[in-house]
Amino acid sequence: MEKLLDILNQIRSDIDYENENALVDDGILDSFDIVSIVSELSMEYDIDISIDDMTAENFNSAEAMLEMINRIQDED
Amino acid sequence: MAYTSFGFLGFLVLVAAVYYIVPKRFQWAVLLAASYVFYLFSGVAQIAFIVGTTLITYLAGRLMQSIRDDYKSQLAKLPKEAGKEVKQELKKKVNNKIRRVQFGSVILDLLILVVVKYLNFALQNINTIFNLFHYDAKLPLINIIVPLGISFYTFMSMGYLIDVGRGRYEAEKHLGKFALFVSFFPTIVQGPINRYDDVGKQLGQEHKFDYNNFKFGAQLMLWGFFKKMVIADRAFPAVSTIFSADKYLEYNGSIYFFGMLMYALQIYCDFSGGIDIARGAAQMLGINLPQNFERPYFSMSVAEYWRRWHITLGAWMREYVFFPVMLSKPVTKISKFFRQKGKKQIAKLVPSVITPFIVFFLIGVWHGASWKYIAFGLYNATIVASSVALAPVFKKLIEKLKINTDTFSWRVFCIVRTFLVLGVSKILVKAPDLTAALHMVKSIFTQVDFDFIFGFDGRIFELGIDQKNMFVLFVAVIVLFTVSVLQETGLKLRESLAKQNIAFRWAIYLIALIVVLVFGIYGPMYDAADFIYQAY
C-alpha cells in the first residue's frame, strides 16, 4: 500500500488517497490523471492494465487499485 | 413533433395515463409503441434506419453473450488438473471471437451513420479536388433525409456493443426492451446519450406512479420551456442576423462580440433546455436520465467545461475513445520509448497531447459534416492539450507572481477567461465560414464601438431583439443566473421548494407557467423554433 500511495502522491499530491473512495465517481481524478496513474502502475508493477480494467470501481480508491493490481498479477 | 409543442404535451399526458393504467409488465410495450409513434412523426422512411441499427446491435449483443456463456460452461467442464495455460488459451480464443463480433457490429452501426450523415461531405470534397485538377468528373451526391436522432442512437448502440464485448454487463435478451432503449422518445431528438446499464435497465423495469417524480418531472420540463422559449428563442433573431452570410460584413467587432454573447446564451438555453424537457418527461414516467449539463459556463478551464457541457457525449468519448487510444499499443510504445531514454516528462506528455486531438476531432465531426466543425474540434484540442503540456509552466508562473488561487477574484478571472476562449470556438461554429470567423475574431480586438456597447445609438435594438424583448431577456437571464448560482452552491431547488407552504409553492408554479405562456416565443404554427442539437 505504501508503494501505491507514493506513486499516487507523485501524480496528484492534493488528494487524500487513504480516505477518498469515490475518486472517479466524484470527479476528483480527471481522465488525464487516470491515464497517468495507469501508465505509472503498469511500469512500477510490471503489469498490463487493459481497457477492460478501466472501470470507475477499479479506480475509486487506493484500495480498489491495489485489489486490481493484485488480481492482474495473479492472472499473469 | 417538437418537444415544445402543445401536441407533444398532449402526447406525453396520454402516454403517461396509459403507462400507469396498464398492468406493469406491459409498461415497456407502451413506451416502445409511443416511441415509434413519436418517431413516425419525423417520417416513415427513416424508421428503417433505426430498426436496422436496433436489429444489428441486438443480434450482435446476443451473439457475444452466447460466446461468453459457452466459454463459461467450457471452463466449468475443464478437468481440475488443467493448467493455467489451458485456461488462458481458451480465454484468449473466446476473447478473439468476441472482439471480431464486436468490431464487425460497431463498424456496421457506424457505417450507417457515416453513409447517411457524412458521405455527401466526402463526395463534395472529392469533387472539389477533381475540379482543382481540372478533371471534369462529378460524383453524384446521395439524397437521404438524415433520420431523427441518428447520432444519438448510434452512439448509444455502439456503447452497448463495446460494453457487452468487454463483459461489463450481460446482453439484453428481450428484443422489445432493447428496441425501447434505442428509441425512447424523450431522448431520441437530442439525447442525453444513455448507457444501457443505467437507462436501459430502468426502461425494462416496472414503475409505480409516484407523485413526487411526476411533480418534479413537470417542474423540470417547465424550467426547460423557460430556457428554450423565453431565453433561447428570444436571443435567436440577433444571432441569425449578426452571423448571416450576406450581412455580417456590415457589422463591427463590438457587434460580433454581442453576437457571440447572444449565441452562447442561445445554444446553452436551447440545448440544456431541451435536455431538461427530456429529463423531466422521463422523470414523469419514473425514469431517471443522466445529467447532461452542470452549469458549464462556470467552468474554470476548457477541460472542465467539456466535463460539464454535454456530459454524456464527453463520458462516451472518454470511455470508448480516450481510454482505448491512451492505452493502445502505438501510444504506449511511444511513451515507453521516451521513458527508456530517461525522458519521463515527455513520456507522460505524448499521450496527453495526442489523445485530445483525436477526441476533439471526433467531437467536432460529431456536430456535423463540415470543415468549420473540424476547426472547432481542433481549436478545443489545441487549448486542452497545451494546457496539459504547459501546466508546470503556469504553476511556476503563479508561484512567481504570488497569486493566491484560493480567492473569489481568481475564480472569476478563470471563469471569464474560459468563457472568452470558448467564445472564439463558438464564433468558429456560428460564422458562415472560416474566413468570416477569423474576420470576426480579429475585429473583436481591433474595432471597439462604445456607442454600440452602451446603447447610445440604439443600434443594439435593431438586430432582431427590440427594446421590450431585450428587457424580458435581461430579466430572464438574471433569473437563470440566480438559479444557476444557487445550484452551484449545492442547493436542490425543487426539493427546497417542495418544503415551502402550499400557497407560496403554488404561487411560484403559477407564475412560472404564466411567464412561459406569456413570454415564450412561438414560431410558425405556434411551435417554437427547432432545437439546434436536433440536427446533430
Side-chain angles (χ1 to χ4, degrees), chain B residues 115-418:
Chain B
V115 168
V116 171
K117 217 174 144 182
Y118 302 101
L119 191 62
N120 276 347
F121 175 62
L123 292 174
Q124 276 163 359
N125 278 298
I126 294 172
N127 284 340
T128 313
I129 295 170
F130 278 163
N131 280 339
L132 277 180
F133 292 102
H134 306 289
Y135 192 72
D136 200 25
K138 212 165 189 193
L139 298 174
L141 302 183
I142 54 164
N143 188 13
I144 303 182
I145 299 172
V146 177
L148 181 67
I150 187 164
S151 301
F152 294 97
Y153 74 70
T154 305
F155 271 51
M156 295 197 320
S157 301
M158 291 194 294
Y160 169 82
L161 287 169
I162 298 171
D163 283 348
V164 171
R166 286 177 185 171
R168 290 276 157 86
Y169 45 75
E170 293 204 352
E172 171 65 65
K173 289 192 184 110
H174 197 296
L175 175 60
K177 287 181 181 175
F178 182 74
L180 172 59
F181 165 65
V182 178
S183 63
F184 185 44
F185 70 91
T187 66
I188 194 69
V189 176
Q190 52 181 359
I193 299 171
N194 300 314
R195 291 176 58 97
Y196 170 77
D197 53 346
D198 172 15
V199 178
K201 288 265 159 71
Q202 288 187 58
L203 286 167
Q205 288 160 354
E206 300 180 352
H207 296 273
K208 257 201 285 194
F209 179 81
D210 178 289
Y211 175 66
N212 269 341
N213 256 342
F214 200 81
K215 182 181 70 183
F216 285 157
Q219 288 170 3
L220 190 56
M221 283 184 79
L222 190 59
W223 179 238
F225 289 134
F226 171 78
K227 278 181 183 166
K228 163 72 178 151
M229 292 161 78
V230 178
I231 302 182
D233 290 352
R234 189 161 264 108
F236 165 71
V239 177
S240 57
T241 310
I242 296 169
F243 291 102
S244 88
D246 357 301
K247 277 206 193 137
Y248 80 90
L249 280 173
E250 294 169 21
Y251 304 126
N252 62 32
S254 296
I255 299 185
Y256 298 142
F257 188 77
F258 173 70
M260 185 272 281
L261 289 180
M262 287 297 110
Y263 181 57
L265 193 61
Q266 186 209 354
I267 186 98
Y268 171 64
C269 288
D270 187 283
F271 192 13
S272 76
I275 291 290
D276 287 344
I277 296 171
R279 294 185 68 231
Q283 194 175 7
M284 289 171 85
L285 301 166
I287 312 288
N288 281 317
L289 297 180
Q291 282 278 19
N292 215 25
F293 288 92
E294 213 176 302
R295 301 164 298 282
Y297 291 151
F298 288 144
S299 302
M300 289 169 68
S301 71
V302 174
E304 185 188 343
Y305 169 83
W306 282 105
R307 288 196 291 275
R308 301 174 67 163
W309 171 280
H310 207 344
I311 296 170
T312 54
L313 177 66
W316 195 97
M317 287 287 170
R318 186 176 62 233
E319 187 92 356
Y320 306 118
V321 182
F322 184 87
F323 285 146
V325 172
M326 286 285 228
L327 295 174
S328 67
K329 284 218 172 91
V331 174
T332 41
K333 259 189 192 158
I334 301 175
S335 202
K336 251 184 198 163
F337 171 79
F338 282 110
R339 199 179 276 263
Q340 277 157 2
K341 295 231 156 178
K343 302 208 158 95
K344 218 172 157 190
Q345 275 307 329
I346 301 182
K348 257 187 179 173
L349 266 180
V350 168
S352 318
V353 172
I354 298 174
T355 323
F357 278 91
I358 299 174
V359 171
F360 278 107
F361 172 78
L362 290 176
I363 289 182
V365 175
W366 184 88
H367 282 84
S370 105
W371 286 106
K372 67 181 184 188
Y373 289 116
I374 295 176
F376 157 84
L378 297 182
Y379 172 79
N380 277 285
T382 312
I383 306 274
V384 171
S386 55
S387 65
V388 173
L390 297 174
V393 180
F394 288 136
K395 206 175 158 195
K396 262 189 202 149
L397 198 68
I398 286 169
E399 274 166 20
K400 226 177 193 173
L401 295 173
K402 296 203 173 74
I403 296 172
N404 183 357
T405 54
D406 206 15
T407 56
F408 178 71
S409 56
W410 176 253
R411 243 182 96 85
V412 171
F413 166 75
C414 290
I415 290 173
V416 172
R417 177 196 62 185
T418 305

Side-chain angles (χ1 to χ4, degrees), chain B residues 480-499:
Chain B
L480 173 71
F481 183 74
T482 313
V483 167
S484 304
V485 170
L486 287 175
Q487 287 173 329
E488 205 55 14
T489 60
L491 191 72
K492 292 202 160 49
L493 278 175
R494 285 179 294 169
E495 275 90 338
S496 320
L497 190 61
K499 287 185 200 135

Side-chain angles (χ1 to χ4, degrees), chain B residues 16-207:
Chain B
V18 179
Y19 176 78
Y20 286 120
I21 290 170
V22 296
K24 296 204 171 40
R25 62 181 190 279
F26 297 128
Q27 282 181 321
W28 68 267
V30 174
L31 293 186
L32 180 63
S35 298
Y36 270 80
V37 168
F38 182 86
Y39 207 88
L40 276 173
F41 275 96
S42 75
V44 181
Q46 278 89 311
I47 221 155
F49 291 97
I50 191 167
V51 170
T53 302
T54 302
L55 285 176
I56 292 168
T57 312
Y58 171 78
L59 291 173
R62 296 293 308 141
L63 186 56
M64 288 190 279
Q65 190 62 49
S66 74
I67 297 172
R68 180 160 286 124
D69 292 346
D70 205 33
Y71 160 69
K72 280 182 189 152
S73 63
Q74 277 186 45
L75 205 62
K77 275 186 212 150
L78 278 180
K80 268 193 184 140
E81 59 275 15
K84 225 176 179 180
E85 286 85 46
V86 181
K87 284 182 189 166
Q88 273 178 346
E89 189 62 28
L90 185 66
K91 192 178 175 186
K92 206 172 153 193
K93 227 166 93 184
V94 168
N95 276 342
N96 280 341
K97 249 189 195 172
I98 291 178
R99 293 272 186 269
R100 275 202 293 273
V101 180
Q102 186 193 42
F103 183 75
S105 51
V106 167
I107 291 291
L108 266 180
D109 277 357
L110 192 63
L111 204 65
I112 299 178
L113 175 68
V114 169
V115 168
V116 171
K117 217 174 144 182
Y118 302 101
L119 191 62
N120 276 347
F121 175 62
L123 292 174
Q124 276 163 359
N125 278 298
I126 294 172
N127 284 340
T128 313
I129 295 170
F130 278 163
N131 280 339
L132 277 180
F133 292 102
H134 306 289
Y135 192 72
D136 200 25
K138 212 165 189 193
L139 298 174
L141 302 183
I142 54 164
N143 188 13
I144 303 182
I145 299 172
V146 177
L148 181 67
I150 187 164
S151 301
F152 294 97
Y153 74 70
T154 305
F155 271 51
M156 295 197 320
S157 301
M158 291 194 294
Y160 169 82
L161 287 169
I162 298 171
D163 283 348
V164 171
R166 286 177 185 171
R168 290 276 157 86
Y169 45 75
E170 293 204 352
E172 171 65 65
K173 289 192 184 110
H174 197 296
L175 175 60
K177 287 181 181 175
F178 182 74
L180 172 59
F181 165 65
V182 178
S183 63
F184 185 44
F185 70 91
T187 66
I188 194 69
V189 176
Q190 52 181 359
I193 299 171
N194 300 314
R195 291 176 58 97
Y196 170 77
D197 53 346
D198 172 15
V199 178
K201 288 265 159 71
Q202 288 187 58
L203 286 167
Q205 288 160 354
E206 300 180 352
H207 296 273

Side-chain angles (χ1 to χ4, degrees), chain A residues 1-18 29 37 40-41 62 65, chain B residues 348 395:
Chain A
M1 195 59 167
E2 295 256 309
K3 181 180 171 189
L4 176 64
L5 290 176
D6 268 354
I7 299 171
L8 294 176
N9 275 318
Q10 269 176 26
I11 294 166
R12 281 273 302 270
S13 54
D14 58 326
I15 297 174
D16 178 12
Y17 291 101
E18 272 172 287
L29 291 175
I37 291 175
E40 285 298 317
L41 295 184
M65 288 184 229
Chain B
K348 257 187 179 173
K395 206 175 158 195

